[in-house]
Amino acid sequence: MENMLALSNQSISDAYTQYARSIFLYIYYKVEDEELAHDLVQDTFLRLISYRGKICFHTVKHLLFIIARNLVNDYLRRYYKACLLYTSDAADDRI
């Protein structure tokens, strides 16, 4: 019974077909960079593969958006931290 609930490769392919565009639009709205959004969509589905044996197809959409949100948050955290470090270094150079 448990094997019936776990995601198969075909289920992941179906999930990609069904949800990739929605995930892309969500990520693109947040990061405003098309190439980065495509990369993060790929990362989202790669992470989904690592959860393959633990979830069922009925919860995959919710999990995809959680993964996408976390990836976007991680990216933005690193991006703004780098911007902050860059601006503080530039301010130090002016002194």
Side-chain angles (χ1 to χ4, degrees):
M1 179 77 174
E2 186 176 335
N3 290 338
M4 291 174 55
L5 295 176
L7 287 177
S8 66
N9 288 339
Q10 183 61 42
S11 298
I12 292 173
S13 177
D14 292 344
Y16 183 85
T17 302
Q18 191 170 0
Y19 301 120
R21 181 76 179 149
S22 298
I23 298 295
F24 169 78
L25 291 174
Y26 169 74
I27 293 173
Y28 181 73
Y29 174 77
K30 297 288 189 177
V31 298
E32 299 176 346
D33 181 337
E34 188 173 350
E35 281 194 39
L36 176 62
H38 283 296
D39 289 344
L40 291 176
V41 169
Q42 289 179 355
D43 291 345
T44 299
F45 281 92
L46 285 174
R47 293 237 179 131
L48 178 68
I49 290 170
S50 69
Y51 291 111
R52 177 179 32 215
K54 300 173 186 168
I55 61 167
C56 65
F57 190 75
H58 303 295
T59 60
V60 74
K61 181 179 180 181
H62 183 69
L63 180 60
L64 282 169
F65 276 95
I66 290 172
I67 293 169
R69 180 195 66 205
N70 290 342
L71 287 171
V72 167
N73 288 342
D74 290 346
Y75 167 77
L76 292 175
R77 186 178 310 115
R78 280 182 272 135
Y79 175 79
Y80 286 117
K81 185 175 184 180
C83 286
L84 182 63
L85 290 174
Y86 176 75
T87 56
S88 70
D89 287 344
D92 290 342
D93 291 342
R94 284 185 260 159
I95 296 178

